[in-house]
Amino acid sequence: MMKLTRLSKALSAAMLAGSLSLAATAEAATLKVSHIRPQGAIIDVELKEFAKQVDSSTDGDVKIKIFAASALGDYTTVQERISVGAIDMAVQPAATAASRKMQISAFPYVAENWAQARKIYGPGGAIYNAMKGLYAQQDIAMLAAYPVYFGGVALNREAVNPGDPNTDKGIKVRVPGIKSFQLTSDALGYISSPIPFSEAFTAVQTGVVDGVIGSGAEGYYASFRDVTKTYIPVNTHFEVWYMIVNAETLADLNDEDRQALQQAAADFETKRWGKAESDQSAYEQKLAEYGATIVKLSDAQLAAAAEKVRAEVWPQILQDVGKEWGQGILNQINQ
């Protein structure tokens, strides 16, 4: 009888331990995170570091599973799915299909240099705060901004008067389906052709278009280096992505895990601001080493491009995003 009692107690203890273990496993959250670049790209490497920090600081309560190269869908679709909780997180550009006001993030020639960009797009900046509010309206929490580069023009041919925005260049370029990019391309003398990103490489390769506007050196090296013969860093816009998470998913974490995730996101953001400018130069060099001609423009040429785009494009985009709202953001920047 004694042996049976001891055996019974041992089995009960084992079952209890197993139940506790299963409960702990069930409580651990695995968050799916999407990004648009291939595996091994800078964002992929930095997200893996972020995932390690989250795992360590939450004692394994929160796991980050990374999906590279838009494996969970185009970034517009991903943003929509984050809004409804079908995907947990992403680091990606803002999708303007959900709100035209999100064009403010890619407003052309808002910042002229990296110091200005950090003031505008970094924590507490006018566009940073505006984007945080716009995401919140979609049940999305913005955890961090991720600066990438100043944009330029990649061509599968030689440039035509690249420093003169008043020259009609007769060159057709792919642009994203975002009004600000289309108008900027036209203002700089190119012929804009809206084409989905998934079809852009083939469009250049087959001669449907002669180049691309909407990205920068890192993006062109990652996705278009085999069809880029000329790169013109004309600073079309400041590219910034956002680390976003479904608001309910964030709220469902316990206080300690939520704070740990937010702190990891803040560290992720700070590290990126410290590296982004040098990364841009490094990728321009990589394009050159791969065979592209880098056409550097003078300060006067860059100023001429900025002046023309601000005069012709800004009024039209302001009408699109809401003149009073958009001008209010620009006024904050210019204070």
Side-chain angles (χ1 to χ4, degrees):
M1 194 67 163
M2 183 72 70
K3 288 183 179 179
L4 286 174
T5 302
R6 287 176 179 170
L7 179 60
S8 173
K9 287 181 178 180
L11 287 171
S12 296
M15 290 173 67
L16 177 61
S19 298
L20 291 173
S21 176
L22 286 171
T25 302
E27 290 173 3
T30 298
L31 304 182
K32 296 179 180 178
V33 181
S34 173
H35 71 80
I36 63 175
R37 291 288 187 254
Q39 289 187 18
I42 289 175
I43 178 62
D44 193 61
V45 172
E46 292 180 357
L47 273 176
K48 287 174 181 174
E49 294 172 358
F50 166 79
K52 287 180 182 178
Q53 181 176 342
V54 170
D55 182 67
S56 174
S57 60
T58 63
D59 294 324
D61 286 348
V62 180
K63 304 285 188 182
I64 302 295
K65 188 172 182 180
I66 300 166
F67 292 82
S70 299
L72 298 181
D74 171 82
Y75 72 90
T76 299
T77 302
V78 167
Q79 184 171 311
E80 292 171 353
R81 296 186 71 194
I82 289 174
S83 178
V84 299
I87 295 175
D88 301 306
M89 295 179 64
V91 179
Q92 61 181 30
T96 60
S99 169
R100 289 184 179 181
K101 288 183 177 180
M102 285 191 157
Q103 290 182 85
I104 197 73
S105 180
F107 222 79
Y109 293 101
V110 168
E112 296 179 6
N113 54 54
W114 282 92
Q116 287 183 13
R118 187 163 190 168
K119 183 178 179 182
I120 296 165
Y121 294 91
I127 290 181
Y128 186 99
N129 289 340
M131 292 302 294
K132 199 163 189 176
L134 292 172
Y135 277 120
Q137 292 173 16
Q138 300 171 42
D139 296 322
I140 295 172
M142 189 183 105
L143 297 178
Y146 184 88
V148 191
Y149 46 66
F150 280 92
V153 182
L155 301 175
N156 194 21
R157 50 162 292 167
E158 292 183 358
V160 174
N161 294 328
D164 182 3
N166 296 306
T167 299
D168 289 333
K169 297 168 176 60
I171 298 174
K172 184 181 286 188
V173 294
R174 174 266 173 183
V175 296
I178 299 172
K179 191 171 184 177
S180 60
F181 287 106
Q182 297 171 31
L183 294 172
T184 298
S185 170
D186 295 340
L188 294 176
Y190 296 93
I191 304 166
S192 62
S193 179
I195 296 173
F197 179 80
S198 60
E199 301 171 18
F201 179 89
T202 301
V204 179
Q205 188 179 46
T206 58
V208 173
V209 293
D210 298 310
V212 185
I213 285 181
S215 193
E218 180 270 342
Y220 293 132
Y221 183 81
S223 303
F224 295 95
R225 61 179 177 266
D226 289 328
V227 291
T228 298
K229 294 182 179 177
T230 306
Y231 177 61
I232 310 159
V234 67
N235 294 356
T236 50
H237 70 294
F238 186 72
E239 178 82 1
V240 59
W241 302 340
Y242 300 95
M243 176 176 278
I244 54 178
V245 60
N246 174 264
E248 187 174 343
T249 297
L250 183 64
D252 283 345
L253 298 176
N254 65 48
D255 289 345
E256 290 183 359
D257 288 346
R258 183 167 57 254
Q259 289 170 12
L261 181 69
Q262 291 169 327
Q263 184 58 55
D267 293 344
F268 172 82
E269 180 177 58
T270 299
K271 290 175 186 175
R272 176 90 300 255
W273 279 109
K275 294 175 58 182
E277 184 175 3
S278 60
D279 281 347
Q280 174 177 287
S281 298
Y283 272 96
E284 288 180 7
Q285 182 60 34
K286 283 187 176 186
L287 279 174
E289 291 170 356
Y290 205 76
T293 299
I294 311 299
V295 181
K296 291 286 188 180
L297 303 183
S298 68
D299 289 345
Q301 289 172 322
L302 289 171
E307 183 179 1
K308 187 167 190 280
V309 170
R310 287 169 182 159
E312 295 182 9
V313 177
W314 280 19
Q316 296 184 68
I317 308 176
L318 283 173
Q319 290 293 338
D320 211 36
V321 303
K323 187 174 181 180
E324 186 176 344
W325 180 85
Q327 190 61 56
I329 304 298
L330 296 179
N331 290 346
Q332 292 177 48
I333 291 169
N334 294 324
Q335 286 176 354

